[in-house]
């Protein structure tokens, strides 16, 4: 009946596309790469255009060669380089990314994100610092991106990627089936907190036995606890959060905060009333808490 609508609300969840790998744009055995000025270009030994490799996770597209050809019509005359687009299936992406980083495999531009160990890979020295390049050749990037994108994605004052130009902020909420809301005259204006949903869910549970009152998609691997307005310090893979609403900058343990405990107690209460299930509770929790909860409820899981 109710489905949670998850939207990233922290700016650093914005995709950090176009991060340069440390091994890229440096000398190698096949020749040298030099930054190309307008009309000059970058070339390998012997004058052959340098092939810029781009890697991203996703299903390879059938017309990618046509896209490359059109890009290279403009790219090669301008900077003396061509582009090779490489899509890696999602199931193989993490292993491929780790292998590229650890082996130094040629990879000039790759996809990365706050939810994909961005800061961890920065600490490994996987990416090139881009500040000087942005100052020298990225004036259009700086002109078109809100400064908050570039400032917010810095690690210790250094840019290692160019963020996607998308929303700076978003919100979360729930989707409610209008037919059921109208049928049972549910007062949605009274819903201000997650706890306020409980009477509505109880109504559906008692009158619509074939309908699951509350369902939450877990496609992003994140849970209901993230609706508590945490700032994950730019990367959810790094422990620790800061409350966006408390007015301070104290780093907290998400699981031990009073708000998280209240949220978990509310979910546990829903389980007892059969509004939700143990498995649903696990799906609603973030990666960090899931293992701990799985151990606690392992005896109750079918």
């Amino acid at each position: 009946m109710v489905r949670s609508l998850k939207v990233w609300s922290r700016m650093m969840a914005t995709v950090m596309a176009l991060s340069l790998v440390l091994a890229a744009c440096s000398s190698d055995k096949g020749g040298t790469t030099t930054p190309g000025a307008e009309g000059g270009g970058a070339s390998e030994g012997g004058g052959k255009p340098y092939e810029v490799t781009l890697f991203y996770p996703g299903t390879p597209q059938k017309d990618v060669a046509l896209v490359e050809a059109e890009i290279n019509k403009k790219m090669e005359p301008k900077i003396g380089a061509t582009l090779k687009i490489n899509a890696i299936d999602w199931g193989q992406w993490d292993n491929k990314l780790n292998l590229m980083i650890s082996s130094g495999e040629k990879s000039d531009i790759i996809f990365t994100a706050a939810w994909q160990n961005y800061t961890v890979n920065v600490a490994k020295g996987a990416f090139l610092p881009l500040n000087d390049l942005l100052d020298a050749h990225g004036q259009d990037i700086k002109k078109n991106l809100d400064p908050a994108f570039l400032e917010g994605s810095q690690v210790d004052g250094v840019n290692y990627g160019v963020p996607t130009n998308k929303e700076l902020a978003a919100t979360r909420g729930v989707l409610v089936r209008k037919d059921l809301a109208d049928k049972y005259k549910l007062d949605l204006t009274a819903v201000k907190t997650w706890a306020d949903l409980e009477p509505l869910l109880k109504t559906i549970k008692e009158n619509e036995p074939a309908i699951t009152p509350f369902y939450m998609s877990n496609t992003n691997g994140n849970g209901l606890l993230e609706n508590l307005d945490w700032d994950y310090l730019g990367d959810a893979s790094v422990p620790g959060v800061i409350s966006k609403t408390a007015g301070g900058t104290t780093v907290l343990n998400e699981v031990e905060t009073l708000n998280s405990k209240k949220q978990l107690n509310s979910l546990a209460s829903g389980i007892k009333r059969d509004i939700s299930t143990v498995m649903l509770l696990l799906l609603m929790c973030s990666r960090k808490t899931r293992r701990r909860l799985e151990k606690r409820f392992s005896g109750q899981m079918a």
Side-chain angles (χ1 to χ4, degrees), residues 227-283:
N227 290 284
L228 297 175
D229 288 324
W230 298 131
D231 186 328
Y232 284 84
L233 307 178
D235 193 334
S237 66
V238 178
V241 296
I242 293 176
S243 173
K244 296 179 182 177
T245 57
T249 56
T250 302
V251 178
L252 308 169
N253 182 333
E254 169 193 20
V255 180
E256 295 181 352
T257 61
L258 180 61
N259 285 340
S260 292
K261 291 178 180 178
K262 286 182 178 179
Q263 191 76 355
L264 289 172
N265 286 335
S266 176
L267 291 171
S269 176
I271 292 172
K272 292 178 181 178
R273 295 194 303 277
D274 202 25
I275 291 177
S276 56
T277 65
V278 171
M279 182 56 72
L280 185 59
L281 169 61
L282 296 178
L283 291 178

Side-chain angles (χ1 to χ4, degrees), residues 33-56:
T33 303
T34 55
E38 184 88 13
S43 62
E44 296 181 293
K48 183 180 179 180
Y50 181 83
E51 183 178 79
V52 176
T53 56
L54 183 154
F55 290 88
Y56 73 95

